[in-house]
Amino acid sequence: MIDRETWIEIIKDFQESSLPDLIEREKKIDVDIPIKRAISIIGPRRTGKTYFMYQLISNLIRSGIDKSRLLYINLEREPLAICDSADLSRLLNIFYEIYPENLEKKCYIFLDEIQNVENWERFVRTAMDNRDIQIFISGSSSKLLSREISTSMRGRTISEEIYPFSFREFLLARDFKIEKYMSTSKKLTLLNLLNKFLLGSYPEVVIYEKKREKILSEILDVTIYRDIIERYSVKNIKALRLTITGAANSPYFSVHKFSNYLKSLGIRVSKNTIYSYLEYLNDSMILYQLRKFSKSYKEIYQSIPKLYFVDNGFLLIQGIKHIGRFMEGVVFVELIRRGFKINRELFYYKKNEHEVDFLIREGAEVKQLIQVTYASGRDEIEKREFKSLVKASDEFGCKNLLLITWDYEDEMNINGKTIKCIPLWKWLLSV
């Protein structure tokens, strides 16, 4: 049980403290939703969920909300490790006791590392029912998966996802001002920064670039041990690590082939176990499986997935240095950052020798086809890139054809099809 004086100190400490300096995230969310639902902030480890909470608090204060109507609690700090739902109820009562005028006003409560509180769902649901209050929750992905939040909260939550820095956020962190018209020197600086962005954009890595591999290795290790090994009681740690290495080295990941490869090493792991490892990595928001598009759901989920890491830095620490693949990886993450749902709206296309990196579906129609290529001039673009776009365009009747290049911009007509070419940096900054 947390004593009364401790809660009073925590409440007053927040009110009297200054908010930390922030790199503004692009993500915007509605903090005043008209229905009684908690807002859960989820994402891979160390992508800045806590700092995003601070950003929301700062925005509320700037909008005219008095800080006394706000409360942020880090439930991982001492002595809150023993906190339970009854303690949180006492906290809320003390908060209104200190600020009785808030009983007639809407308040905003931010609960960080909520997974440490037993039966936290009960408190959140009851508080929203009994008070005019908007609750924000965040926590470790090992204990606060999106689907579990929805279940435990009985559908009374809206999940908002936080990823590593976008390119715009990366440029902000590097004090680079985006201008509509750029000199040759400014453009070269931008492309040099894009090269660095491709290597990874976890906030800590952007700020402490010299420690890139050490930071990323630590993030991956903590994710493996806390989010996977401890959570799912994984016994064959060597096979799990080899699965991650295999995913880095083989973007098209055949479980059947990989199982045979492990057998050749004398490691016997069932295919079902490997499928489970991939799901665990997906749940931890580290590795995603993109399926081949088909009009048949059965064919979609029987297709060999293309694997994408949430950050190219995880490829880098596995020894992968391939700029074309890095470009494709940042396009994939940007597409999910923009809200496209994997294997519902976002797929890849492949038919015989023709392949298109990304296919976007809207309802029953194919809305856009996107190809990614490392090219700075038309003569550097391989003919197969065009042919695959044209083939898919003919099959689905899609006219929105996009070729994302390194630094080439044009509109081309190929077999009666208009293909728009746009540099990667410009596409990343286009929203």
Side-chain angles (χ1 to χ4, degrees):
M1 178 177 172
I2 309 299
D3 65 76
R4 174 183 172 82
E5 288 306 311
T6 297
W7 280 136
I8 291 173
E9 289 177 8
I10 288 172
I11 292 169
K12 296 302 288 184
D13 284 349
F14 169 72
Q15 293 298 327
E16 295 175 10
S17 65
S18 300
L19 295 175
D21 293 332
L22 300 167
I23 294 170
E24 189 83 8
R25 303 302 297 262
E26 284 189 288
K27 189 174 184 66
K28 308 296 181 197
I29 68 173
D30 185 357
V31 295
D32 282 312
I33 54 179
I35 52 179
K36 288 183 176 291
R37 289 196 179 192
I39 295 175
S40 57
I41 300 168
I42 63 172
R45 286 182 177 272
R46 311 263 280 277
T47 49
K49 297 185 287 294
T50 296
Y51 273 74
F52 186 65
M53 279 188 161
Y54 286 135
Q55 179 176 316
L56 295 177
I57 291 169
S58 179
N59 291 343
L60 283 165
I61 293 171
R62 283 203 299 265
S63 73
I65 303 295
D66 194 273
K67 193 177 180 182
S68 65
R69 292 164 59 188
L70 311 175
L71 181 60
Y72 167 84
I73 303 291
N74 180 354
L75 293 159
E76 202 166 48
R77 61 172 282 187
E78 290 293 340
L80 303 185
I82 59 171
C83 184
D84 61 22
S85 62
D87 284 310
L88 290 183
S89 295
R90 282 190 290 274
L91 161 69
L92 198 56
N93 289 335
I94 294 168
F95 173 72
Y96 283 111
E97 181 184 327
I98 297 172
Y99 304 104
E101 65 276 15
N102 286 345
L103 289 166
E104 306 300 322
K105 300 173 183 177
K106 182 168 186 174
C107 294
Y108 303 83
I109 310 297
F110 295 80
L111 301 173
D112 202 1
E113 301 297 344
I114 189 70
Q115 80 282 347
N116 291 314
V117 179
E118 189 174 354
N119 297 320
W120 61 266
E121 308 94 327
R122 185 184 306 161
F123 163 77
V124 172
R125 291 196 303 266
T126 302
M128 291 192 302
D129 286 339
N130 296 337
R131 306 280 190 184
D132 186 7
I133 189 172
Q134 180 61 62
I135 294 181
F136 301 80
I137 59 175
S138 180
S140 165
S141 55
S142 66
K143 297 181 180 177
L144 202 68
L145 298 179
S146 179
R147 65 169 183 269
E148 293 175 339
I149 294 172
S150 297
T151 301
S152 58
M153 285 291 293
R154 300 172 190 170
R156 296 186 59 188
T157 182
I158 295 174
S159 292
E160 299 286 351
E161 297 179 348
I162 300 295
Y163 298 98
F165 280 158
S166 68
F167 188 47
R168 194 183 300 274
E169 293 163 348
F170 175 88
L171 293 178
L172 180 63
R174 291 301 181 89
D175 295 318
F176 183 91
K177 187 177 180 181
I178 302 164
E179 298 174 356
K180 184 176 181 180
Y181 303 103
M182 290 186 291
S183 65
T184 302
S185 166
K186 186 95 173 178
K187 176 77 172 296
L188 287 173
T189 301
L190 177 66
L191 291 177
N192 181 52
L193 287 171
L194 178 60
N195 260 315
K196 292 182 178 181
F197 173 73
L198 289 181
L199 301 180
S201 62
Y202 266 84
E204 288 173 273
V205 170
V206 174
I207 296 167
Y208 307 109
E209 185 180 357
K210 291 181 180 179
K211 300 288 186 180
R212 177 191 307 279
E213 292 196 14
K214 184 176 181 180
I215 291 170
L216 287 166
S217 294
E218 183 194 29
I219 292 172
L220 187 58
D221 285 344
V222 171
T223 298
I224 290 171
Y225 280 99
R226 291 192 184 172
D227 295 357
I228 298 177
I229 293 172
E230 290 181 4
R231 180 184 182 86
Y232 300 105
S233 301
V234 171
K235 305 299 182 187
N236 197 334
I237 299 172
K238 184 176 182 180
L240 173 60
R241 286 193 170 276
L242 282 171
T243 300
I244 295 170
T245 301
N249 284 275
S250 304
Y252 287 100
F253 194 85
S254 166
V255 169
H256 176 73
K257 289 182 179 179
F258 185 70
S259 175
N260 288 337
Y261 166 70
L262 290 181
K263 286 178 184 177
S264 73
L265 299 178
I267 302 171
R268 296 199 170 275
V269 181
S270 72
K271 293 178 188 176
N272 285 340
T273 298
I274 298 170
Y275 282 120
S276 294
Y277 290 166
L278 293 174
E279 287 301 318
Y280 301 159
L281 289 161
N282 184 84
D283 286 345
S284 299
M285 301 179 75
I286 285 290
L287 185 69
Y288 299 91
Q289 301 178 60
L290 186 67
R291 300 283 177 173
K292 184 175 74 172
F293 178 72
S294 171
K295 293 181 180 179
S296 162
Y297 278 103
K298 183 178 179 181
E299 289 181 8
I300 288 173
Y301 287 98
Q302 286 180 340
S303 65
I304 294 176
K306 283 182 76 174
L307 303 186
Y308 291 95
F309 285 88
V310 73
D311 189 88
N312 282 335
F314 293 127
L315 288 173
L316 199 64
I317 62 175
Q318 296 287 333
I320 306 300
K321 297 179 181 179
H322 189 286
I323 191 167
R325 190 168 173 198
F326 287 174
M327 288 176 63
E328 193 177 324
V330 300
V331 170
F332 171 79
V333 174
E334 182 62 26
L335 287 169
I336 61 173
R337 185 184 283 114
R338 293 180 184 184
F340 293 107
K341 304 301 181 187
I342 301 169
N343 303 326
R344 281 193 285 168
E345 300 167 319
L346 181 62
F347 306 85
Y348 75 88
Y349 167 85
K350 191 177 179 84
K351 193 166 188 178
N352 301 324
E353 75 276 13
H354 299 292
E355 179 185 347
V356 175
D357 295 319
F358 303 108
L359 178 151
I360 297 173
R361 180 177 68 178
E362 188 175 90
E365 295 184 2
V366 174
K367 179 182 179 182
Q368 188 177 36
L369 297 162
I370 302 174
Q371 197 78 293
V372 183
T373 184
Y374 179 56
S376 297
R378 179 166 181 159
D379 59 329
E380 297 177 23
I381 302 171
E382 296 184 25
K383 289 182 180 179
R384 63 182 174 83
E385 311 282 11
F386 297 133
K387 287 182 177 179
S388 294
L389 281 170
V390 170
K391 173 69 177 176
S393 173
D394 287 337
E395 183 171 346
F396 302 115
C398 176
K399 296 181 180 180
N400 189 353
L401 311 180
L402 182 65
L403 186 62
I404 298 176
T405 68
W406 177 249
D407 191 29
Y408 176 68
E409 189 167 10
D410 196 5
E411 273 197 5
M412 296 179 289
N413 190 285
I414 308 291
N415 295 347
K417 310 286 184 181
T418 300
I419 299 175
K420 182 179 180 180
C421 302
I422 184 171
L424 176 62
W425 65 266
K426 186 171 283 191
W427 181 80
L428 290 170
L429 299 175
S430 63
V431 174

